[in-house]
Amino acid sequence: MLINLTNHPLEKWDQEQKKEAKKIFGQIIDMPFPDIDPAGDEQYIENLSNDYLHKILACNPQAVHIQGEFTFTYRILNLLREHNIKCIASTTSRIMSENEDGTRTYKFKFVRFREYC
């Protein structure tokens, strides 16, 4: 089972990403990424990370798909690795098109899952 701890719920994933995740992990569960207070200090991040660690461990996942605010992501990654839980991210190719008004539109195409190392 894979926990999706991102701001991108499963319902918004493209078909290739869903197919690959289900092939590798079977079940996928969304766990919304927390709204990180930018004024929070290091202890705030530590406490929040520990709260999420307990929520994640209760689900007994094979892996956690995690992408988001850097300091929280870094801390929860380290905690999860201490519990031998694989952490992965999605890789994408970015396709840019320039509009007539000079603005740019970006589309992201899923390529693969990559384990944090």
Side-chain angles (χ1 to χ4, degrees), residues 9-31:
L10 178 61
E11 68 186 31
K12 293 186 179 183
W13 288 11
D14 67 29
Q15 289 305 314
E16 287 300 313
Q17 187 173 8
K18 287 179 191 176
K19 181 180 171 183
E20 185 69 10
K22 287 179 182 179
K23 181 175 92 176
I24 297 170
F25 302 105
Q27 183 182 12
I28 307 161
I29 295 174
D30 280 326
M31 184 177 288

Side-chain angles (χ1 to χ4, degrees), residues 4-106:
N4 175 37
L5 181 58
T6 70
N7 287 315
H8 305 283
L10 178 61
E11 68 186 31
K12 293 186 179 183
W13 288 11
D14 67 29
Q15 289 305 314
E16 287 300 313
Q17 187 173 8
K18 287 179 191 176
K19 181 180 171 183
E20 185 69 10
K22 287 179 182 179
K23 181 175 92 176
I24 297 170
F25 302 105
Q27 183 182 12
I28 307 161
I29 295 174
D30 280 326
M31 184 177 288
F33 197 89
D35 185 19
I36 307 293
D37 181 352
D41 62 9
E42 292 79 3
Q43 190 60 54
Y44 163 78
I45 293 296
E46 183 69 24
N47 294 341
L48 188 60
S49 298
N50 283 314
D51 289 346
Y52 270 77
L53 174 66
H54 295 298
K55 290 178 190 179
I56 292 166
L57 292 177
C59 296
N60 195 28
Q62 273 179 275
V64 177
H65 178 246
I66 181 167
Q67 293 178 264
E69 193 275 340
F70 297 119
T71 60
F72 173 80
T73 297
Y74 180 80
R75 184 63 190 131
I76 193 73
L77 278 167
N78 284 303
L79 291 171
L80 290 168
R81 292 170 90 181
E82 288 174 10
H83 288 84
N84 297 312
I85 296 179
K86 180 189 293 191
C87 296
I88 62 172
S90 292
T91 66
T92 58
S93 56
R94 182 172 68 171
I95 303 160
M96 188 271 295
S97 58
E98 194 160 327
N99 304 313
E100 288 183 19
D101 65 358
T103 61
R104 295 178 179 169
T105 302
Y106 296 95

